[in-house]
Amino acid sequence: MAASEESLRKALAEKQSAVEAHGNAVRALKAAKASKPEIDAAIEALNSLKLEKSSIEKQLQAAVSGSDGDGALSREAFRQAAVNTLERRLFYIPSFKIYRGVAGLYDYGPPGCAVKSNVLAFWRQHFVLEENMLEVDCPCVTPEVVLKASGHVDKFTDLMVKDEKTGTCYRADHLLKDFCNEKLQKDLTISAEKAAELKHVLATLDDLSAEELGAKIKEYGITAPDTKNPLSDPYPFNLMFQTSIGPSGLSPGYMRPETAQGIFVNFKDLYYYNGNKLPFAAAQIGQAFRNEISPRQGLLRVREFTLAEIEHFVDPEDKSHPKYSEVVDLEFLMFPRGEQMSGQSAKKIRLGDAVSKGTVNNETLGYFIGRVYLFLTRLGIDKDRLRFRQHLANEMAHYAADCWDAEIECSYGWIECVGIADRSAYDLRAHSEHHVKNVFDEGQREGNIDFIGTNLDKSGVPLVAAEKFSEPREVEKLVIAPVKKELGLAFKGSQKNVVEALEAMNEKEALEMKAALESKGEVEFYVCTLGKNVPIKKNMVSISKEKKKEHQRVFTPSVIEPSFGIGRIIYCLFEHSFYTRPSKAGDEQLNVFRFPPLVAPIKCTVFPLVQNQQYEDVAKVISKSLTTAGISHKIDITGTSIGKRYARTDELGVPFAITVDSTKDVTIRERDSKLQVRVSVEEAALVVKSVTDGLRTWEDVWEKYPHHTSGSADD
Amino acid sequence: MAASEESLRKALAEKQSAVEAHGNAVRALKAAKASKPEIDAAIEALNSLKLEKSSIEKQLQAAVSGSDGDGALSREAFRQAAVNTLERRLFYIPSFKIYRGVAGLYDYGPPGCAVKSNVLAFWRQHFVLEENMLEVDCPCVTPEVVLKASGHVDKFTDLMVKDEKTGTCYRADHLLKDFCNEKLQKDLTISAEKAAELKHVLATLDDLSAEELGAKIKEYGITAPDTKNPLSDPYPFNLMFQTSIGPSGLSPGYMRPETAQGIFVNFKDLYYYNGNKLPFAAAQIGQAFRNEISPRQGLLRVREFTLAEIEHFVDPEDKSHPKYSEVVDLEFLMFPRGEQMSGQSAKKIRLGDAVSKGTVNNETLGYFIGRVYLFLTRLGIDKDRLRFRQHLANEMAHYAADCWDAEIECSYGWIECVGIADRSAYDLRAHSEHHVKNVFDEGQREGNIDFIGTNLDKSGVPLVAAEKFSEPREVEKLVIAPVKKELGLAFKGSQKNVVEALEAMNEKEALEMKAALESKGEVEFYVCTLGKNVPIKKNMVSISKEKKKEHQRVFTPSVIEPSFGIGRIIYCLFEHSFYTRPSKAGDEQLNVFRFPPLVAPIKCTVFPLVQNQQYEDVAKVISKSLTTAGISHKIDITGTSIGKRYARTDELGVPFAITVDSTKDVTIRERDSKLQVRVSVEEAALVVKSVTDGLRTWEDVWEKYPHHTSGSADD
């Protein structure tokens, strides 16, 4: 808890006691019929105490609701204004609205859809093309076996509670979180100790088991928000949409919860496609699905969303990156684990320093953090409201080497929009193991064990890479050689099972058996396919360490995964781009989206100044050259005033407007500065194209062309 | 049945009888110990008859398997070669292969994914941008109510039969179709009558009811193909993937079977967005799902696929199109209903003639047929294997005004890849009616009936458009005015139901009541909300026709829907682009895809001729300028021979290869002609860009730059 807040709570509690004590004193004086001056003085002191208490309350209120006391309120108002504009102009709309909609499902209308496809096109340019990534496109419908291996069938759950009377479902952690936040922000009378406890609950919310969550809900007397009915105990609800593949009803499937698995299961083919060379990255853009228990926060928590994921496969022994030097000098807000634990805030750090000091685990992870920073800021995300937050130990999966989230601040707070994780070898191993389970285990697939038997023929699909040595290297390898003749005599029909089990021993087991056989001559050995122990004698198996020449090193690659929630990025971009400004007459606030041309849904509008055939013809000529230049645009020939038409186009975030006010020259207006230049009809499309393509800036244009100064055009 | 085939079958049957008769005659001669010359002559005659029979058999075989007898075989071989290359180079691969895959699900690997995103980008350019369409992006997860209204919950089914012992499922029509085709092609002994019957079954397959299909399966003794077990009766299987939305399990949902519904339910907002003006088109690209009973034919029949759909909304009274003149002179293969019924084949028709003769229902439908033709041929679809086939009456939904499929011929036959339908007002009405069911019916929403009552307040969301008149028009309208006082006295608490029922009458009902009241003074009137007849007297309602001024005409727009199966188009494109040519040494066949630059997965490869640092540096410089120019490319610095590298790149359909063989000039080679020009290092990227962007042709380049004639480069 911040020191100031804690001391304020204490001061408030003290002041409250003082007010009560003084109140009693005043009442006592009155009861004792004390003199009027005496009573008046006491009352004055009481009032001044009350004023002091009220001042502390205000400070505390400010402290709990952020730096400015009105922050929450103004954030809410800002969001309302932005969301109203977004929905009115069909950037997005609740899906199936005429049927009253479905929570957590949204449509992108025409301008939103255009923004989305611009964001995705830039993503493809910035990541896939620039880095020569292997893009794939896999189905959403996924058979159970794949998601069983990845762990989603068993672990992709949220804890849910039910209203015991109506059956309405809630996310258990949300109810507890809401309760704590509400209490902290609205109830100023709670003690500093209680406040500290609630804050601890909030900080450890993600770690609570179903039992612990249930106990807290009971302890705090939390009830169903809508009905105040009692709640059930929390229980896990799997967030995948389940379905059935084919007509038999016997093949369960799910709508994928992420696109990554489609890449992992194709690792072998992609590695081959890449000439059996590491590192390489595969990428996928596509829909993913989460059957949220009770979606809220608009576009930020939805049941279906577009993910763009990269899986960069790298040798775990060499996580350097050839292009690392291109991002090493970038400096931006980072929020390492240490700073979070010690209650500090995010600070500007040079990426190169974060990597060299080991704050960021390795170069490749650092490289992608830098590339993500460039991607987001070029889209128009405000760099002062973007931070890279490192996962705390309790947030990170046990196998992860390091993990950073690109968080963007919007009216809902800091929102995780991109996760950048070094997931080590976890995912590839999960599929290898699930696939070849019971055939051979980890140690054998990758360690120093050779096979004399025939197990390798049955190996299924180990998802591994190999480093070919330029010169063969001498390594010591364990060799397990079952003596089939002796085993056959001893075990007859079960010989095969015993041979396989012997070959399946890992290094530790084999060396223990070797030692035992040498000392005792016979050991009991558990054969899982027989479900029992069998006696193994010294003459039945030879176990030895041999020096061998190796031509390659076989290993499971590490995977570094930047995963982008496209809808969340777009929503934050909407908020960061939105502002209002007064109309020229000053009688209303006009809405503007300051989208960079790269993401603007339409790059340009074309307006004939007045409705006449000549101007309309010129507008059509310009429109045709814009189409040829590949610039999306719109002609507006309505008779509305030019000011109204500008306002309409600003509200869609269109960066340029061409007003046709003669048949030779036209006026180009820039959205944010409202500055206007005069350009010939022939040049108009090319000027707009050069700026939207980033070949020159509006400032260049402003310098080169004559300015339009007539007041007739704007507002 | 084709005349030749029919006469051949008859000839064969006659010849068969003749052979049998002659055989008997020979045996009789022998039994009667006839003279040797006599017997020999009879045997000779028999042999000659047998030869004639065998010749007829061959002709018949050729007739039933297409124009050339070896066609099927060579098509199969061609497909194998193409598919092997496609799968080996990861254009596409069976999904979840390491888990043995799932029928009907495919991944696009890197080159396939690039082709797909090029096709979609061109689709967006050719349709959405060029026509200023409103693109939207709606979720795949769809609540039941929407698909109930659209008819999919009740009617989106295929008839299925089950192996009665193993439970394996089959599509009933596929089994019957396979049986008929097999019989017709392989059994030459069936009579001409039987052959005609089987052909009739094939032609009417889509019209057969479950009972009729079941009867045919029984009659022909069709059993399960794998086990020969008996089959169940056919029953409908809904092809939608079902799921459940939210945690309660009470909200059924489906994965959308098409993207169109997302547009229809948003009609009102989109119409408003378009300034309440018609015509306009909305478009959507996205995944759609069909839980096929037994998918086959690779990419052509899959369980998840990308659709690109356009819904063009138009005034049913004016289906002209402003840009119709741009396509009117196109001439291509069309296959109107009449030609199909009379057994002719598709023929080249000028689009303008097809529209003006009424073969194509209207200008807008014609416009889209022309635009689809341009789209497909620019992608690289062979115009001689592309036809527009009109739906027969029995294929078309009852509400459709006209429907044409763009069919592309590939090794599987003619495949429907784009459907272009005038669906009249069906879809918008379906959602309006489902939504406002029981509030008011068809006649009232659109007809000439005014409302005195209050029903309009409850109208929900009628999906209609309005044509504002420049001058108010005088129209005769029916006015139903219930006299509430009298009705209240007569029906007390039920007054409201009776008033609503009276107001809900359509014009015909109202005029009948008016006549009856005038002649009889009282009528029995059924009030559905009361479930009974009530007596209506003359003083309870006034029904009259009045002249009124109208300011607008309200109507449900017609929708013209071009719907593109992107995966099918891509597969056909693969086949149309694939060819083989001998290597220079002539010892092997090399595979080539002749993709136009527009769709080629990579536009250019860069090869240093030999492995040396200087050349590699030049290659990197060129690579950088290609990246700047936005040209996707790949550097290949492997030590393989340049011929092998060309072969590898041809197999991916890369149109251009830049070979670095000096530090000043490089060689650019075109894939199909294998011609090479010399270009400076600085110009190389721009030359490639100008051709891939379509600003000039390879012929232009060939004319302008010096030719490379050294034999060292190719093969």
Side-chain angles (χ1 to χ4, degrees):
Chain A
M1 178 161 18
S4 67
E5 187 192 328
E6 194 180 341
S7 59
L8 283 168
R9 287 206 189 267
K10 281 192 178 145
L12 184 65
E14 282 161 20
K15 210 55 84 183
Q16 176 64 28
S17 312
V19 167
E20 280 165 20
H22 245 79
N24 291 340
V26 169
R27 272 186 294 279
L29 285 174
K30 282 181 177 167
K33 314 258 185 212
S35 71
K36 187 167 184 296
E38 203 176 353
I39 293 178
D40 284 354
I43 289 178
E44 199 174 322
L46 178 60
N47 284 342
S48 121
L49 270 174
K50 282 185 177 167
L51 273 176
E52 285 167 40
K53 182 193 152 205
S54 150
S55 150
I56 298 174
E57 273 177 349
K58 272 190 194 142
Q59 289 174 56
L60 180 56
Q61 186 68 63
V64 295
S65 51
S67 52
D68 63 318
D70 300 327
L73 208 68
S74 69
R75 276 198 298 276
E76 190 67 40
F78 171 82
R79 185 198 304 152
Q80 266 319 316
V83 166
N84 283 349
T85 311
L86 289 166
E87 294 206 16
R88 185 166 41 78
R89 298 311 303 270
L90 302 194
F91 278 88
Y92 68 87
I93 30 178
S95 300
F96 317 113
K97 217 168 68 174
I98 65 168
Y99 292 104
R100 291 201 216 130
V102 175
L105 293 180
Y106 290 89
D107 295 346
Y108 289 94
C113 191
V115 168
K116 183 177 170 189
S117 81
N118 293 336
V119 167
L120 291 177
F122 180 58
W123 192 89
R124 226 172 225 135
Q125 175 64 41
H126 186 78
F127 292 106
V128 178
L129 289 185
E130 181 78 28
E131 314 276 357
N132 262 310
M133 291 176 179
L134 307 182
E135 190 180 348
V136 300
D137 182 13
C138 310
C140 301
V141 174
T142 306
E144 185 169 57
V145 61
V146 174
L147 296 161
K148 189 86 188 165
S150 68
H152 286 91
V153 170
D154 296 323
K155 290 177 194 156
F156 192 63
T157 56
D158 274 342
L159 290 167
M160 176 160 92
V161 288
K162 267 193 182 173
D163 181 317
E164 288 199 335
K165 289 186 183 155
T166 66
T168 309
C169 305
Y170 301 94
R171 255 182 78 167
D173 59 340
H174 279 179
L175 292 189
L176 184 55
K177 186 178 175 185
D178 290 349
F179 173 85
C180 295
N181 278 329
E182 176 100 4
K183 203 81 186 159
L184 280 167
Q185 279 169 28
K186 305 234 168 114
D187 185 351
L188 300 178
T189 66
I190 56 171
S191 67
E193 292 70 33
K194 188 72 186 173
E197 179 195 318
L198 294 174
K199 290 199 169 182
H200 179 73
V201 169
L202 285 173
T204 56
L205 209 55
D206 290 344
D207 290 336
L208 297 183
S209 67
E211 292 69 32
E212 290 165 331
L213 256 175
K216 280 286 166 211
I217 286 173
K218 281 227 162 55
E219 182 188 336
Y220 295 156
I222 299 172
T223 55
D226 304 322
T227 60
K228 306 299 165 204
N229 289 333
L231 294 165
S232 73
D233 286 333
Y235 59 98
F237 170 72
N238 194 299
L239 297 177
M240 291 193 293
F241 284 98
Q242 191 170 6
T243 189
S244 180
I245 304 174
S248 70
L250 301 173
S251 307
Y254 300 91
M255 304 312 298
R256 65 181 173 192
E258 56 177 33
T259 66
Q261 301 307 325
I263 296 176
F264 296 136
V265 299
N266 280 322
F267 171 78
K268 202 176 154 235
D269 279 341
L270 294 170
Y271 179 59
Y272 170 77
Y273 186 83
N274 200 51
N276 290 331
K277 283 200 180 59
L278 284 186
F280 74 89
Q284 182 166 198
I285 297 172
Q287 292 303 87
F289 303 81
R290 257 173 224 225
N291 196 6
E292 294 286 349
I293 293 169
S294 48
R296 44 188 194 175
Q297 300 191 324
L299 284 192
L300 296 180
R301 187 164 292 282
V302 291
R303 286 180 164 146
E304 180 176 339
F305 44 95
T306 302
L307 279 184
E309 297 194 292
I310 295 166
E311 311 298 330
H312 181 90
F313 298 101
V314 62
D315 185 339
E317 293 179 12
D318 176 14
K319 292 184 179 173
S320 65
H321 195 287
K323 288 163 80 182
Y324 172 62
S325 64
E326 293 178 16
V327 297
V328 72
D329 287 324
L330 290 175
E331 207 176 297
F332 45 79
L333 286 176
M334 298 188 87
F335 201 10
R337 206 171 287 147
E339 275 70 3
Q340 293 170 60
M341 300 299 283
S342 61
Q344 300 171 59
S345 51
K347 57 187 181 192
K348 270 204 173 168
I349 301 180
R350 189 177 153 275
L351 183 55
D353 296 339
V355 173
S356 63
K357 285 182 188 151
T359 311
V360 169
N361 183 280
N362 59 69
E363 266 192 14
T364 299
L365 193 62
Y367 177 71
F368 279 110
I369 290 174
R371 292 290 294 170
V372 169
Y373 171 80
L374 292 174
F375 173 73
L376 293 173
T377 49
R378 281 181 196 162
L379 285 183
I381 293 295
D382 177 359
K383 68 179 168 37
D384 296 326
R385 285 187 281 167
L386 166 63
R387 71 183 184 193
F388 287 83
R389 190 180 70 79
Q390 189 172 30
H391 276 204
L392 298 177
N394 67 15
E395 289 177 271
M396 218 159 58
H398 64 91
Y399 49 78
D402 194 6
C403 188
W404 294 75
D405 285 343
E407 295 185 332
I408 305 177
E409 195 187 23
C410 73
S411 65
Y412 290 105
W414 286 96
I415 303 299
E416 174 200 342
C417 290
V418 187
I420 309 149
D422 182 336
R423 298 172 58 83
S424 75
Y426 177 76
D427 307 280
L428 293 181
R429 281 195 187 146
H431 287 291
S432 294
E433 276 161 26
H434 196 78
H435 189 73
V436 301
K437 204 162 55 178
N438 301 331
V439 179
F440 57 165
D441 74 17
E442 199 69 342
Q444 290 170 295
R445 192 163 55 264
E446 292 183 39
N448 287 323
I449 302 191
D450 252 9
F451 291 89
I452 302 288
T454 51
N455 273 353
L456 265 181
D457 306 345
K458 305 175 194 160
S459 70
V461 187
L463 302 177
V464 293
E467 180 200 1
K468 297 246 180 319
F469 300 141
S470 47
E471 301 259 299
R473 293 183 195 168
E474 189 157 273
V475 288
E476 204 179 45
K477 304 222 57 163
L478 184 80
V479 178
I480 303 172
V483 181
K484 291 195 183 162
K485 196 183 139 201
E486 299 295 331
L487 290 164
L489 285 171
F491 303 114
K492 313 225 160 57
S494 311
Q495 181 223 25
K496 194 163 151 277
N497 307 58
V498 180
V499 168
E500 284 178 1
L502 287 169
E503 287 171 349
M505 286 188 290
N506 64 27
E507 179 158 352
K508 185 163 162 280
E509 291 163 348
L511 291 179
E512 280 170 10
M513 177 181 278
K514 181 182 167 71
L517 286 175
E518 274 161 17
S519 62
K520 296 186 260 169
E522 181 174 321
V523 290
E524 287 293 294
F525 176 62
Y526 184 74
V527 179
C528 66
T529 52
L530 297 175
K532 62 172 184 184
N533 281 335
V534 299
I536 297 292
K537 301 213 175 83
K538 210 177 164 184
N539 63 348
M540 292 178 181
V541 60
S542 126
I543 296 168
S544 58
K545 280 212 144 187
E546 288 179 12
K547 293 209 176 208
K548 292 205 59 175
K549 296 236 169 188
E550 290 246 303
H551 297 267
Q552 59 177 11
R553 175 177 68 92
V554 175
F555 58 92
T556 302
S558 279
V559 61
I560 289 171
E561 176 189 87
S563 169
F564 299 70
I566 297 299
R568 290 182 167 197
I569 293 172
I570 288 174
Y571 179 78
C572 292
L573 184 60
F574 287 157
E575 277 205 10
H576 285 203
S577 303
F578 183 75
Y579 67 99
T580 58
R581 60 185 175 196
S583 64
K584 203 174 185 184
D587 54 345
E588 55 175 333
Q589 285 291 312
L590 302 175
N591 306 308
V592 190
F593 284 101
R594 65 165 84 75
F595 297 128
L598 181 70
V599 297
I602 300 170
K603 312 302 179 202
C604 182
T605 36
V606 185
F607 303 137
L609 182 62
V610 290
Q611 281 184 306
N612 83 33
Q613 195 56 47
Q614 264 191 322
Y615 288 1
E616 276 183 31
D617 290 345
V618 173
K620 276 182 195 157
V621 167
I622 293 175
S623 164
K624 196 140 198 182
S625 40
L626 286 167
T627 301
T628 309
I631 302 293
S632 64
H633 64 283
K634 212 182 159 170
I635 301 191
D636 183 348
I637 52 164
T638 56
T640 337
S641 81
I642 196 75
K644 281 242 170 70
R645 280 185 279 173
Y646 280 146
R648 219 187 258 167
T649 191
D650 291 346
E651 214 172 48
L652 286 178
V654 182
F656 302 104
I658 300 177
T659 301
V660 179
D661 44 12
S662 92
T663 53
K664 278 190 176 167
D665 292 328
V666 294
T667 301
I668 303 182
R669 171 210 189 240
E670 196 273 338
R671 174 193 61 209
D672 298 298
S673 65
K674 298 199 254 178
L675 293 175
Q676 302 177 52
V677 296
R678 299 287 296 168
V679 173
S680 72
V681 169
E682 292 71 32
E683 274 179 293
L686 291 177
V687 169
V688 171
K689 183 181 168 61
S690 66
V691 187
T692 56
D693 283 1
L695 301 179
R696 57 177 162 182
T697 63
W698 171 253
E699 286 67 37
D700 298 337
V701 171
W702 179 247
E703 215 154 90
K704 179 163 177 194
Y705 293 92
H707 301 172
H708 180 79
T709 44
S710 145
S712 74
D714 210 345
D715 307 305
Chain B
M1 176 159 23
S4 67
E5 188 190 329
E6 194 180 341
S7 59
L8 283 167
R9 286 202 191 271
K10 282 193 179 142
L12 184 64
E14 283 161 16
K15 209 54 82 179
Q16 177 64 30
S17 312
V19 167
E20 281 163 19
H22 245 78
N24 292 338
V26 170
R27 275 187 291 279
L29 284 175
K30 283 179 176 172
K33 313 254 184 213
S35 71
K36 190 169 182 295
E38 201 175 352
I39 294 180
D40 285 351
I43 289 179
E44 200 173 328
L46 176 59
N47 285 343
S48 123
L49 270 175
K50 282 182 178 168
L51 273 177
E52 283 168 40
K53 182 190 152 208
S54 153
S55 151
I56 298 174
E57 272 176 350
K58 273 190 194 142
Q59 290 174 56
L60 179 56
Q61 187 68 59
V64 294
S65 52
S67 52
D68 63 318
D70 300 327
L73 208 66
S74 69
R75 275 198 300 276
E76 190 68 40
F78 171 83
R79 184 199 304 153
Q80 265 320 315
V83 166
N84 284 348
T85 310
L86 289 166
E87 293 208 16
R88 186 165 42 77
R89 300 310 303 269
L90 302 194
F91 278 88
Y92 68 88
I93 32 180
S95 300
F96 317 114
K97 213 168 69 172
I98 65 169
Y99 292 105
R100 289 198 216 134
V102 175
L105 293 179
Y106 290 90
D107 296 345
Y108 290 95
C113 191
V115 168
K116 183 177 169 189
S117 81
N118 293 336
V119 168
L120 291 178
F122 180 57
W123 192 88
R124 229 175 223 129
Q125 175 65 42
H126 186 78
F127 292 106
V128 179
L129 289 185
E130 182 79 27
E131 313 277 356
N132 263 309
M133 291 177 180
L134 306 183
E135 190 180 348
V136 300
D137 182 13
C138 310
C140 301
V141 174
T142 306
E144 185 170 56
V145 61
V146 173
L147 296 161
K148 190 87 189 164
S150 69
H152 288 90
V153 171
D154 296 323
K155 291 177 193 157
F156 192 63
T157 56
D158 274 343
L159 290 168
M160 177 160 90
V161 289
K162 267 194 183 176
D163 181 319
E164 286 199 338
K165 288 185 183 155
T166 67
T168 308
C169 305
Y170 302 94
R171 256 182 75 166
D173 59 340
H174 280 179
L175 293 189
L176 183 55
K177 184 178 176 186
D178 290 350
F179 173 86
C180 294
N181 278 328
E182 176 99 5
K183 202 82 186 160
L184 281 168
Q185 279 168 30
K186 307 235 168 112
D187 186 352
L188 301 178
T189 66
I190 55 172
S191 67
E193 291 70 33
K194 187 74 185 171
E197 177 194 320
L198 294 173
K199 290 199 170 184
H200 179 73
V201 169
L202 285 173
T204 55
L205 207 55
D206 292 343
D207 290 335
L208 296 183
S209 67
E211 291 67 34
E212 290 165 331
L213 256 175
K216 280 285 166 211
I217 286 174
K218 281 226 163 57
E219 180 188 338
Y220 294 156
I222 300 173
T223 55
D226 305 321
T227 61
K228 306 296 164 209
N229 289 332
L231 294 166
S232 73
D233 286 334
Y235 59 99
F237 170 72
N238 193 298
L239 297 177
M240 291 193 291
F241 283 99
Q242 189 170 8
T243 190
S244 179
I245 304 173
S248 69
L250 301 173
S251 307
Y254 299 90
M255 303 312 299
R256 64 179 175 193
E258 58 177 31
T259 67
Q261 301 307 323
I263 296 176
F264 297 136
V265 298
N266 280 322
F267 171 78
K268 201 175 154 236
D269 278 342
L270 294 170
Y271 179 58
Y272 169 77
Y273 186 84
N274 201 51
N276 290 332
K277 283 200 177 61
L278 284 186
F280 74 91
Q284 181 166 199
I285 298 173
Q287 294 302 90
F289 303 81
R290 255 172 225 227
N291 196 7
E292 294 285 351
I293 293 169
S294 49
R296 46 189 193 176
Q297 300 192 324
L299 283 192
L300 296 181
R301 188 164 291 280
V302 291
R303 288 181 163 146
E304 180 176 340
F305 44 95
T306 302
L307 279 184
E309 296 193 293
I310 295 166
E311 309 299 330
H312 181 90
F313 298 101
V314 62
D315 185 338
E317 293 179 11
D318 176 13
K319 293 184 179 173
S320 65
H321 195 287
K323 289 164 78 182
Y324 172 63
S325 64
E326 293 179 17
V327 298
V328 72
D329 286 325
L330 290 175
E331 205 175 300
F332 45 79
L333 287 175
M334 298 187 86
F335 201 11
R337 207 172 286 148
E339 275 70 3
Q340 294 171 60
M341 301 298 282
S342 60
Q344 300 171 58
S345 50
K347 57 185 180 194
K348 271 204 176 171
I349 300 182
R350 190 178 152 275
L351 183 55
D353 295 339
V355 173
S356 62
K357 286 185 186 145
T359 312
V360 169
N361 183 280
N362 58 70
E363 266 193 16
T364 298
L365 193 63
Y367 178 72
F368 279 110
I369 290 174
R371 293 290 294 169
V372 169
Y373 171 80
L374 292 174
F375 173 73
L376 293 173
T377 49
R378 280 180 198 162
L379 285 183
I381 294 295
D382 177 0
K383 65 179 170 37
D384 296 326
R385 285 186 282 166
L386 166 63
R387 71 182 185 194
F388 288 82
R389 190 181 70 80
Q390 189 172 32
H391 276 204
L392 298 177
N394 65 13
E395 289 176 271
M396 220 160 53
H398 64 91
Y399 49 79
D402 193 7
C403 188
W404 293 75
D405 285 343
E407 295 185 333
I408 305 176
E409 193 186 25
C410 73
S411 65
Y412 290 106
W414 287 95
I415 304 298
E416 173 200 344
C417 291
V418 186
I420 309 149
D422 182 335
R423 299 173 57 83
S424 75
Y426 176 77
D427 307 279
L428 293 181
R429 281 191 188 152
H431 286 292
S432 295
E433 276 161 27
H434 197 77
H435 190 71
V436 301
K437 201 161 56 177
N438 302 329
V439 178
F440 58 165
D441 77 15
E442 200 68 343
Q444 290 170 292
R445 192 162 58 263
E446 292 184 41
N448 286 326
I449 302 193
D450 250 11
F451 291 89
I452 303 288
T454 51
N455 273 353
L456 264 181
D457 305 343
K458 306 175 196 161
S459 69
V461 186
L463 302 177
V464 293
E467 182 200 1
K468 299 244 179 323
F469 300 142
S470 47
E471 302 257 301
R473 294 186 193 166
E474 189 156 273
V475 288
E476 203 179 44
K477 303 225 52 167
L478 184 80
V479 178
I480 303 173
V483 181
K484 290 194 184 162
K485 197 183 140 198
E486 299 296 332
L487 290 164
L489 284 170
F491 303 113
K492 312 227 160 55
S494 310
Q495 181 224 25
K496 194 161 153 282
N497 306 59
V498 179
V499 167
E500 283 178 3
L502 287 170
E503 286 170 351
M505 285 188 291
N506 64 28
E507 179 158 350
K508 184 162 163 282
E509 290 164 350
L511 291 179
E512 279 171 11
M513 178 181 279
K514 183 180 165 71
L517 287 176
E518 275 161 15
S519 63
K520 295 185 263 168
E522 180 174 322
V523 288
E524 286 293 295
F525 177 60
Y526 184 74
V527 179
C528 66
T529 53
L530 296 174
K532 62 172 184 186
N533 281 336
V534 298
I536 298 290
K537 300 211 174 85
K538 209 177 168 187
N539 62 348
M540 293 179 183
V541 61
S542 123
I543 296 168
S544 57
K545 281 211 146 190
E546 288 179 11
K547 291 208 178 214
K548 291 204 59 173
K549 295 234 167 187
E550 290 245 307
H551 297 267
Q552 60 177 13
R553 176 176 68 93
V554 175
F555 58 93
T556 301
S558 278
V559 60
I560 289 170
E561 176 189 87
S563 170
F564 299 70
I566 297 298
R568 290 183 168 197
I569 293 172
I570 289 175
Y571 179 78
C572 292
L573 184 59
F574 287 156
E575 278 205 9
H576 286 203
S577 303
F578 183 76
Y579 66 99
T580 58
R581 60 185 174 198
S583 64
K584 203 174 184 185
D587 54 346
E588 54 175 335
Q589 285 292 312
L590 302 175
N591 306 308
V592 190
F593 284 102
R594 65 167 83 76
F595 298 127
L598 180 71
V599 296
I602 300 170
K603 312 303 179 204
C604 182
T605 36
V606 184
F607 302 137
L609 181 62
V610 291
Q611 281 184 305
N612 85 32
Q613 195 56 47
Q614 264 190 322
Y615 288 1
E616 277 183 30
D617 290 346
V618 172
K620 276 181 195 157
V621 166
I622 293 175
S623 164
K624 196 141 198 180
S625 40
L626 286 167
T627 302
T628 309
I631 301 295
S632 65
H633 64 283
K634 212 180 158 172
I635 301 191
D636 184 346
I637 53 164
T638 56
T640 336
S641 80
I642 196 75
K644 282 241 170 69
R645 281 185 279 172
Y646 281 145
R648 220 186 257 165
T649 193
D650 291 345
E651 215 172 47
L652 287 178
V654 181
F656 302 104
I658 300 178
T659 301
V660 179
D661 44 13
S662 92
T663 54
K664 279 191 175 164
D665 291 328
V666 294
T667 301
I668 303 181
R669 170 205 187 247
E670 196 273 336
R671 176 194 59 211
D672 298 301
S673 65
K674 296 199 256 178
L675 294 175
Q676 303 176 54
V677 295
R678 299 288 295 166
V679 174
S680 73
V681 170
E682 292 71 35
E683 275 179 293
L686 291 177
V687 169
V688 171
K689 184 182 166 60
S690 66
V691 186
T692 55
D693 283 0
L695 301 179
R696 57 177 162 182
T697 64
W698 171 254
E699 286 66 36
D700 299 336
V701 172
W702 179 248
E703 215 154 273
K704 177 163 178 196
Y705 292 92
H707 300 174
H708 180 79
T709 44
S710 145
S712 75
D714 210 343
D715 307 306

